[in-house]
């Protein structure tokens, strides 16, 4: 389980990594963050906060497109759970 600040620090480290990291650690960080949040609606809100905050991180990193994609996939998964 991880807080928003912890997850953002993990993201910042992953964005700065040389060579660029694979998707696994990014995905694991998102899962750890969401695991701390009970309930689907609360997870959606938490993920939206994470997505907004992550947008302020290193946009020039070659990992950023993958990070955005992973966040989008988690959002789609949560939306499917709502349907």
């Amino acid at each position: 389980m991880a807080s928003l600040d912890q997850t953002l620090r993990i993201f910042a480290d992953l964005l700065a990594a040389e060579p660029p990291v694979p998707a696994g650690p990014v995905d694991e960080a998102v899962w750890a963050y969401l695991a701390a949040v009970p309930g689907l609606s609360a997870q959606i809100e938490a993920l939206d906060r994470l997505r907004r905050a992550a947008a302020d991180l290193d946009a020039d990193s070659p990992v950023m497109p993958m990070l955005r994609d992973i966040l989008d996939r988690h959002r789609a998964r949560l939306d499917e759970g709502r349907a």
Side-chain angles (χ1 to χ4, degrees), residues 3-81:
S3 70
L4 177 63
D5 289 337
Q6 291 169 324
T7 304
L8 291 172
R9 279 194 301 273
I10 291 168
F11 284 176
D13 290 345
L14 295 172
L15 290 169
E18 289 290 335
V21 296
V26 176
D27 198 45
E28 289 170 13
V30 176
W31 279 110
Y33 171 68
L34 292 177
V37 181
L40 183 60
S41 294
Q43 285 185 347
I44 290 170
E45 290 175 23
L47 183 61
D48 287 345
R49 280 191 304 276
L50 180 60
R51 291 169 78 192
R52 285 190 302 273
D56 292 335
L57 298 175
D58 183 3
D60 294 328
S61 170
V63 178
M64 185 55 97
M66 176 183 49
L67 188 147
R68 286 186 189 122
D69 180 60
I70 288 170
L71 292 172
D72 289 346
R73 283 189 280 133
H74 276 278
R75 178 56 196 237
R77 178 186 56 80
L78 291 172
D79 286 342
E80 287 175 9

